[in-house]
Amino acid sequence: MTTERTVVILAAGQGTRMKSSLPKVLHQIAGVPMISFAIDAALALDPERVIVVVGHGRDQVEAAVRARFSDRVVFALQQQQRGTADAVLAALPQVPATSREVIITYGDCPLVPGAFLQKLALARSDREALMSVATARIDDSTGYGRIIFDGNSTNGARNILAIREHKDCSEQERAIDVINAGLYAVDRAFLDSALSKIDASNAQGEFYLTDLVALANRDASTRTKAVELRGDASLLRGINDRAELADAEADMTEILNDRWRRAGNTIARGARIDRDVELERDVTIAQGAVLRGRTRVASNTVIDVGCVLDDAEIGESVTLKPYSIVTRSKIGARAQIGPFAHVRPDSDVAEDAHVGNFVELKKTRMAKGAKANHLAYLGDGVIGAGANIGAGTIFCNYDGFQKHTTTVGEGAFVGSNSSLVAPIAIGAGAYVGSGSVVTKNVPDGALAVGRARQENKEGYAERIRAMKKKPPAKP
Ligand code: UD1
Ligand code: MG
């Protein structure tokens, strides 16, 4: 039988230790706001509703979450951050009447997988307990709530008597190395009745959600009160400052990379693949490559050392040689890119095309099999199938006021070191002589030569040498 449930994600806190004007839960991990991972984990439970409790920086948090999850989450406003129990209280009116269980998590714990929340719910329901609490054993428990066990267990899960916050702990209690991770599955009816009983009579003058455990143990029913689900400390930890943010990002990178490896791709250690990137299969990614945004990569493509892809769409069997950059552009099947190529936004490189070293494209389409193998700037261009663009070619697209288009017809050959002054069209099959400055359209099949004519002066080299050897004239 499935239990109807709601997930409440706490994200109203300020995150003081981040020392940032950006709300903590919006700091990015793997290219997305960290709260996205908590929401993903919540949605994986297929709950009736996901409620995000917002407060500090609420407008920013709501906008960012809406942009990503639209109406799959709702928000509850906690006016003042008076503690974790007060935050859940703010969400309570939005928990549907049909929900019989509430899962509570934090927006700043991105490494917690959905499967763990599932286990947390099972830990409770298997024992018909009022609540289950995620715990972890850690070396330095400073700052965390400590778990106080009652020495008994229910079906293999230890019973919890209370959670004592660090500041309220006695000397002996501080020595406890099992901490409260801050994730709970709670019986809905119990939560409703217990929350209003929590007061702020503690060292911090806050409404502690952790008091739920002691309240459960005072419950008159014969049900199991609170049980433990032990988790992996490295996945349950929250992020409080930017050093922890960097650690979590490194761990998340390995988690995501491993997922792609298991799906049949070769991913070197030290490659970075953002959360929203998609790979088909048999993709090879070398160390130092960074795939950002909504980049898509088709099968059998090789992305070599140091490449940076941002919102790129890469076809199959493409080779991206080292240190190439592709931004918001498309690369067709079997194309060869780089090394050191720069494909700037709105470019479209068709199948079998070559973009070689130190070639920069901007808003340029290259049709099938077109080649620009070395040292070129091709901006606002439309290059026909099989055309060859020589080394040093420049599309002079900007006159200081406006950008203009350069069209190179199918099969045309642009000789090295030519400047094509846009707007301009080179006809299909046409030739442009090396070193030309082309300012007039070139008809199909024509040869354009736009450079100073060469002159040879027979014997002149000898005369120059003789002149140089003569001693300088006395003044
Ligand atoms: C809390 C637990 C502690 C546990 C630790 C694990 C309590 C009283 N203590 O302590 O036992 O070991 O988490 O990380 O719950 N929040 C709100 N509104 C508030 C206060 C907090 O939304 O009024 C949110 C924060 O944004 C954050 C989360 O709740 O995401 C936890 O708050 P925080 O202040 O970090 O609690 P801790 O003191 O770390
Ligand atoms: Mg905290």
Side-chain angles (χ1 to χ4, degrees):
M1 192 191 76
T2 58
T3 306
E4 296 296 355
R5 62 169 72 100
T6 290
V7 183
V8 175
I9 301 173
L10 306 190
Q14 186 165 5
T16 319
R17 280 175 284 166
M18 295 298 280
K19 299 189 178 152
S20 177
S21 54
L22 187 70
K24 174 162 78 176
V25 294
L26 297 188
H27 280 260
Q28 295 207 335
I29 288 186
V32 297
M34 71 165 92
I35 193 173
S36 314
F37 294 98
I39 297 174
D40 284 340
L43 290 170
L45 295 180
D46 195 21
E48 284 192 290
R49 187 169 284 178
V50 174
I51 304 171
V52 177
V53 180
V54 292
H56 181 82
R58 75 174 276 218
D59 292 339
Q60 262 175 297
V61 175
E62 285 194 27
V65 171
R66 273 224 185 82
R68 216 179 144 71
F69 294 95
S70 55
D71 55 2
R72 288 186 293 158
V73 300
V74 300
F75 299 94
L77 175 62
Q78 185 193 20
Q79 292 283 4
Q80 274 181 310
Q81 282 67 70
R82 299 190 301 169
T84 43
D86 182 61
V88 177
L89 201 59
L92 221 45
Q94 300 209 58
V95 177
T98 41
S99 280
R100 295 171 56 214
E101 178 176 63
V102 177
I103 310 279
I104 300 163
T105 73
Y106 294 163
D108 60 1
C109 295
L111 297 166
V112 177
F116 184 79
L117 297 183
Q118 193 82 55
K119 276 195 211 160
L120 187 63
L122 275 177
R124 189 187 78 80
S125 59
D126 280 356
R127 288 143 191 114
E128 293 176 356
L130 291 176
M131 66 187 292
S132 55
V133 178
T135 67
R137 171 164 281 143
I138 60 173
D139 292 338
D140 182 9
S141 51
T142 310
Y144 287 96
R146 310 298 205 283
I147 303 288
I148 302 183
F149 294 101
D150 74 359
N152 301 313
S153 52
T154 310
N155 290 345
R158 289 198 284 176
N159 295 349
I160 304 177
L161 197 58
I163 300 173
R164 194 91 69 234
E165 289 306 299
H166 181 88
K167 287 188 178 152
D168 301 290
C169 278
S170 67
E171 207 54 45
Q172 287 106 308
E173 285 165 345
R174 283 205 179 152
I176 298 172
D177 63 354
V178 180
I179 59 100
N180 169 31
L183 316 172
Y184 320 88
V186 190
D187 177 88
R188 166 47 179 314
F190 165 67
L191 184 67
D192 278 350
S193 71
L195 264 188
S196 54
K197 292 182 195 145
I198 293 176
D199 61 28
S201 57
N202 52 56
Q204 302 188 86
E206 279 187 14
F207 294 88
Y208 288 166
L209 187 59
T210 44
D211 285 353
L212 276 184
V213 177
L215 284 167
N217 279 284
R218 261 181 257 148
D219 188 272
S221 73
T222 55
R223 292 178 62 176
T224 306
K225 312 306 182 193
V227 292
E228 167 195 51
L229 176 71
R230 180 65 63 85
D232 176 349
S234 65
L235 296 180
L236 297 183
R237 69 181 196 268
I239 292 172
N240 293 302
D241 58 31
R242 304 215 199 191
E244 290 171 355
L245 180 69
D247 285 345
E249 163 128 313
D251 289 355
M252 181 57 78
T253 297
E254 265 313 294
I255 290 170
L256 295 173
N257 285 359
D258 256 344
R259 215 175 276 168
W260 288 121
R261 290 175 185 125
R262 286 177 214 292
N265 299 282
T266 299
I267 316 288
R269 239 175 254 286
R272 220 201 94 165
I273 304 173
D274 275 358
R275 160 73 180 73
D276 292 342
V277 170
E278 280 179 24
L279 312 179
E280 247 171 39
R281 260 190 67 174
D282 278 316
V283 174
T284 300
I285 303 182
Q287 59 272 35
V290 179
L291 279 63
R292 294 193 183 127
R294 297 196 172 268
T295 291
R296 306 257 174 287
V297 185
S299 299
N300 295 310
T301 280
V302 176
I303 297 169
D304 216 325
V305 174
C307 287
V308 180
L309 313 186
D310 211 328
D311 289 331
E313 199 181 322
I314 314 289
E316 60 177 57
S317 303
V318 167
T319 305
L320 279 150
K321 295 175 191 167
Y323 302 103
S324 295
I325 299 175
V326 180
T327 309
R328 236 175 57 215
S329 292
K330 246 171 104 169
I331 308 291
R334 298 174 304 279
Q336 306 262 331
I337 310 293
F340 300 102
H342 189 186
V343 181
R344 290 170 52 199
D346 303 319
S347 295
D348 186 342
V349 177
E351 59 268 33
D352 301 304
H354 289 190
V355 178
N357 44 184
F358 305 106
V359 172
E360 174 180 353
L361 259 58
K362 191 226 62 173
K363 208 174 174 182
T364 285
R365 293 209 309 270
M366 279 177 86
K368 185 176 160 98
K371 293 187 174 67
N373 276 325
H374 334 263
L375 301 160
Y377 171 65
L378 313 175
D380 300 298
V382 180
I383 301 168
N388 195 311
I389 309 290
T393 297
I394 309 283
F395 288 4
C396 308
N397 61 329
Y398 186 49
D399 56 15
F401 301 94
Q402 275 181 301
K403 303 284 170 67
H404 303 281
T405 303
T406 299
T407 309
V408 176
E410 229 177 274
F413 183 97
V414 178
S416 298
N417 218 33
S418 296
S419 302
L420 311 186
V421 182
I424 194 135
I426 312 296
Y431 256 78
V432 172
S434 294
S436 292
V437 176
V438 183
T439 54
K440 287 185 293 198
N441 289 349
V442 181
D444 291 355
L447 165 68
V449 183
R451 63 190 183 212
R453 195 172 280 281
Q454 183 173 334
E455 208 181 316
N456 292 340
K457 303 200 172 185
E458 293 291 338
Y460 205 93
E462 272 314 308
R463 278 175 59 194
I464 291 173
R465 278 187 205 105
M467 232 156 63
K468 298 274 182 204
K469 271 187 213 145
K470 245 188 5 204
K474 296 246 159 64

